[in-house]
Amino acid sequence: MRTLVAVFASPVAGFLLKFGADLGFRTVLVEPDPERRLDGFTAVTEIGDHVNATADVVLTDHHRAEIGPVLRDLLKSPARWIGIMGSPRHTGPHVRALTDLGVPPEEIARVHRPIGLNIGSRTPAEIALATLAGLIADRNARPGGFSF
């Protein structure tokens, strides 16, 4: 079974988990801060055994202080795919955070950014839809879009 891991409780994470479950993913919400919640979803605070070789992992907030340690740990996991939301117009803060933690550049390069298909998404639901479409295209070795 495919696994979808949404990291950080956010509106995008809520849609990723809802749509992901509808698409047949086993869904997991990882939220390191036990004070943060996402209505309708139970969160785990650590990656633990929740990330296996079937896992597609999406960090849904690139402003969180925990991105460095979370990504460092994810890069040690067997996750199939790891991505973080953010604009392609700016260098992602994860690069500096991982560099500061001593993660080698070739490992940092495994983190996908931007994520999802370029459909001009703006709302949390649209971002989740574009992300899941991109993950499905990647799993199926397809480019996404309308080119066949």
Side-chain angles (χ1 to χ4, degrees), residues 10-137:
S10 71
V12 171
F15 284 106
L16 277 173
L17 296 170
K18 179 184 180 320
F19 296 163
D22 291 342
L23 292 168
F25 285 88
R26 177 179 72 90
T27 59
V28 178
L29 172 62
V30 175
E31 175 50 74
D33 181 349
E35 298 298 314
R36 294 182 186 229
R37 292 181 173 49
L38 187 58
D39 289 341
F41 299 97
T42 302
V44 297
T45 57
E46 296 180 8
I47 297 160
D49 295 332
H50 300 286
V51 176
N52 58 31
T54 72
D56 293 335
V57 182
V58 179
L59 276 76
T60 65
D61 187 340
H62 61 271
H63 295 294
R64 294 280 296 269
E66 305 99 317
I67 63 172
V70 168
L71 279 171
R72 178 197 57 209
D73 294 347
L74 283 167
L75 288 167
K76 294 176 186 175
S77 79
R80 186 194 82 83
W81 189 95
I82 301 168
I84 184 170
M85 289 177 32
S87 170
R89 295 183 299 271
H90 310 287
T91 301
H94 70 286
V95 174
R96 176 59 161 267
L98 289 171
T99 300
D100 290 349
L101 290 171
V103 177
E106 60 273 10
E107 286 295 304
I108 295 171
R110 289 183 47 215
V111 179
H112 296 266
R113 186 171 178 272
I115 59 172
L117 299 184
N118 181 4
I119 60 171
S121 50
R122 301 267 184 253
T123 68
E126 291 172 343
I127 293 166
L129 177 70
T131 300
L132 285 163
L135 290 173
I136 292 168

